[in-house]
Amino acid sequence: MTQKFDVVVIGAGPGGYVAAIKAAQLGLKTACIEKYQDKEGKTALGGTCLNVGCIPSKALLDSSWKYYEAKDHFAIHGIEAKGLTIDVPAMISRKSNIVKNLTGGVATLFKANGVTLLEGHGKLLAGKQVEVTGSDGKTQIIDAENVILASGSKPIDIPPAPIDQDVIVDSTGALEFQSVPKKLGVIGAGVIGLELGSVWARLGAEVTVLEALDKFLPAADEQIAKEALKTFTKQGLNIRLGARVTGSEVKKKQVTVNFTDAEGEQKIVFDKLIVAVGRRPVTTDLLASDSGVDMDERGYIFVNDQCATSVPGVYAVGDVVRGAMLAHKASEEGVMVAERIAGHKAQINYDLIPSVIYTHPEIAWVGKTEQQLKTEGVAVNVGTFPFAASGRAMAANDTGGLVKVIADATTDRVLGVHVIGPSAAELVQQGAIGMEFGTSAEDLGMMVFSHPTLSEALHEAALAVNGQAIHIANRKKR
Ligand code: FAD
Ligand code: AMP
């Protein structure tokens, strides 16, 4: 007899696995289908995020930062670190152990919550039936009251630089280098390119980032992006804007990359090249031709604000649908859909999804940028506070960057919080919490912040919005 589930989820990334756990917690009979296998040929849950994305990249960023600090920053504390070396295979294997731990953790959570794991490739058929094909080629058909498509995304490859996962790699390959490349090229100065470029630059690679656009980090607040470019350049990252890669040739374990910039045709030889030009939705063999699910013109599954597709009872979440390709966006969509299937009211405030770039300094923001608000014709007051004036940042010898709070000039409501500096990701979340509750800059300024903390920079920036900062000269007097 055909098995029947209340909810069948295709894909066990942060969108899918969180949706499955939530649905099961809400009393729905739930199955989750996943096809990804690790190097040992075992099904691994957690999707891009846990296996080849957020977590492994952060593990390498943390390891490489420790090395960089020991090499370049310990001396100021009076600590001598002579004969420092980096064992790259050990660093990579630490990363792999963390991944294993976490993906195994998801499997445990499935068991604890009663989610049925179906290993194989899932395909939505007409009438909310789902076909599951195992790695042995055997298929089974299951019936679903509701289906959640959470098939995620994969790296975009470009003809001028075909991936061989040896000399020319994508983000997955860049997490597996067994030694530090002497000369590393990165195509794309987006989040992934900057993070992975930073890892290998900190370990001693000479890194050149080739970015086709003339503008650096166009989605970030312009003031923050300017500060970031200045800092990364000072750190030794050679970021070449307006540089479009047109071709490449691999010879003797090196790659010659051709690109054009304002000065004409150029070429550089690298030992490794990371292609980080963005990601695209995964929909290969996901939908039968008569499934009835519509796609948008860019190849994403078309959904409304509640992640419902064109077929009643079929939903899609995460990287396979419109919006930022972020794990926390995917997982919150997963929760929202599970809640709605269970008959609860749920929605996401898409205006308050924080963005983070885990370089050093970190860059993070929530809400709108100053240039966005200007375009929209919203009059604003802006307060900034540099970490150079923060006692805690000085104590940590980490004084680069600033906090910027943007508030509506009429209502004082906070419309954006932007941070470049130490622990920016954690700091910006405080702004996000305040903004969710409609905080004004004055509210933030009236709150008591522990001393000495980096968070005080947020406090001071909020005070500065209305010319009331204490620890910096105010631009605007009351
Ligand atoms: P995915 O995580 O891609 O998961 C989809 C899953 O579905 C996969 O396991 C896939 O095998 C499976 N699947 C696909 N089709 C089928 C099918 N037909 N049948 C069965 N299974 C199927 N985001 C952040 O928020 N913070 C970060 O710091 C961050 N860092 C990143 C660093 C890197 C290097 C990369 C590459 C990404 C990073 N991201 C980060 C992005 C984040 O990983 C994604 O936004 C997130 O994983 C999307 O979740 P998802 O569930 O939509 O899809
Ligand atoms: P993101 O989408 O944030 O991951 O960023 C990818 C970046 O790669 C974008 O800023 C693109 O402009 C850039 N990019 C795409 N194709 C090329 C190319 N051929 N040469 C250089 N940069 C590119």
Side-chain angles (χ1 to χ4, degrees):
M1 213 179 77
T2 319
Q3 287 193 82
K4 179 153 186 156
F5 292 90
D6 297 322
V7 179
V8 171
V9 184
I10 303 182
Y17 86 73
V18 170
I21 290 172
K22 188 73 197 175
Q25 286 173 347
L26 292 167
L28 300 163
K29 189 181 174 201
T30 305
C32 185
I33 307 167
E34 176 57 63
K35 66 175 176 186
Y36 181 79
Q37 295 187 335
D38 62 18
K39 280 186 215 142
E40 290 154 22
K42 293 202 184 107
T43 301
L45 309 179
T48 303
C49 169
L50 296 195
N51 289 288
V52 292
C54 321
I55 298 297
S57 58
K58 264 80 265 175
L60 297 189
L61 278 160
D62 283 340
S63 294
S64 58
W65 181 248
K66 285 193 192 304
Y67 175 79
Y68 182 74
E69 282 244 276
K71 192 165 67 67
D72 287 11
H73 293 172
F74 274 16
I76 197 169
H77 297 277
I79 305 170
E80 213 178 48
K82 271 196 184 143
L84 202 67
T85 57
I86 175 80
D87 179 344
V88 176
M91 179 182 85
I92 299 292
S93 105
R94 184 191 88 98
K95 177 265 303 176
S96 303
N97 287 337
I98 296 167
V99 168
K100 210 167 178 179
N101 238 324
L102 285 168
T103 55
V106 177
T108 308
L109 288 172
F110 271 13
K111 282 197 190 106
N113 286 284
V115 175
T116 302
L117 171 63
L118 301 171
E119 300 181 21
H121 178 100
K123 180 176 183 174
L124 177 69
L125 310 178
K128 286 185 285 185
Q129 285 203 312
V130 179
E131 179 189 76
V132 188
T133 308
S135 52
D136 55 5
K138 284 197 185 129
T139 63
Q140 60 168 314
I141 307 271
I142 53 176
D143 282 326
E145 199 63 49
N146 299 277
V147 176
I148 304 175
L149 305 167
S151 50
S153 64
K154 63 176 184 187
I156 292 176
D157 33 23
I158 49 169
I163 306 293
D164 60 18
Q165 285 314 15
D166 178 20
V167 179
I168 305 181
V169 301
D170 59 16
S171 58
T172 301
L175 297 167
E176 296 294 335
F177 292 162
Q178 294 298 312
S179 61
V180 181
K182 211 155 167 270
K183 289 185 85 181
L184 172 67
V186 180
I187 310 180
V191 180
I192 293 175
L194 289 173
E195 289 187 1
L196 294 174
S198 295
V199 166
W200 298 104
R202 289 170 188 173
L203 300 178
E206 189 188 308
V207 178
T208 302
V209 184
L210 301 169
E211 167 56 57
L213 299 176
D214 291 323
K215 203 169 168 190
F216 185 59
L217 294 178
D221 186 272
E222 271 170 17
Q223 188 180 358
I224 303 286
K226 222 166 120 189
E227 180 76 18
L229 184 58
K230 204 174 73 192
T231 312
F232 295 151
T233 306
K234 219 162 100 191
Q235 284 173 359
L237 277 184
N238 179 13
I239 299 172
R240 304 194 48 164
L241 299 175
R244 174 166 291 279
V245 173
T246 51
S248 64
E249 192 187 1
V250 177
K251 238 193 222 163
K252 292 190 189 152
K253 295 276 177 193
Q254 285 195 315
V255 53
T256 304
V257 175
N258 302 304
F259 60 97
T260 50
D261 65 9
E263 272 124 56
E265 296 198 358
Q266 315 273 353
K267 60 170 81 168
I268 309 185
V269 180
F270 298 111
D271 299 304
K272 296 271 185 198
L273 177 68
I274 303 173
V275 181
V277 296
R279 299 180 60 82
R280 62 184 161 87
V282 170
T283 51
T284 318
D285 207 25
L286 178 69
L287 305 168
S289 54
D290 57 354
S291 72
V293 172
D294 290 340
M295 316 284 283
D296 70 17
E297 65 288 349
R298 292 164 61 220
Y300 292 82
I301 294 174
F302 178 78
V303 290
N304 66 10
D305 278 355
Q306 285 80 43
C307 291
T309 69
S310 45
V311 177
V314 178
Y315 303 82
V317 300
D319 283 8
V320 79
V321 303
R322 84 284 172 268
M325 286 190 170
L326 292 168
H328 44 284
K329 177 257 191 190
S331 57
E332 285 312 311
E333 286 181 336
V335 170
M336 171 177 74
V337 166
E339 294 264 16
R340 293 184 81 86
I341 290 172
H344 300 259
K345 282 193 180 134
Q347 62 183 46
I348 290 176
N349 184 352
Y350 281 101
D351 292 336
L352 291 186
I353 295 177
S355 297
V356 183
I357 308 173
Y358 291 87
T359 42
H360 199 99
E362 282 181 1
I363 301 166
W365 68 91
V366 63
K368 299 210 166 151
T369 61
E370 199 175 345
Q371 66 265 20
Q372 265 174 329
L373 290 161
K374 203 169 162 191
T375 311
E376 290 171 16
V378 181
V380 295
N381 288 327
V382 174
T384 59
F385 189 81
F387 285 105
S390 152
R392 191 72 192 89
M394 279 184 224
N397 186 43
D398 207 351
T399 52
L402 62 126
V403 177
K404 174 171 182 174
V405 174
I406 309 173
D408 187 295
T410 314
T411 64
D412 196 40
R413 189 176 176 143
V414 175
L415 302 175
V417 174
H418 304 264
V419 186
I420 173 166
S423 301
E426 309 292 341
L427 291 185
V428 101
Q429 197 61 41
Q430 302 180 24
I433 294 170
M435 287 168 74
E436 187 68 49
F437 290 96
T439 190
S440 64
E442 187 186 32
D443 291 332
L444 283 181
M446 278 164 39
M447 282 177 63
V448 182
F449 281 68
S450 304
H451 176 74
T453 53
L454 296 170
S455 305
E456 285 173 310
L458 175 64
H459 190 211
E460 289 280 353
L463 285 167
V465 167
N466 292 306
Q468 295 171 9
I470 301 291
H471 292 92
I472 190 126
N474 287 292
R475 277 197 291 175
K476 180 182 157 195
K477 294 272 176 304
R478 272 225 282 187

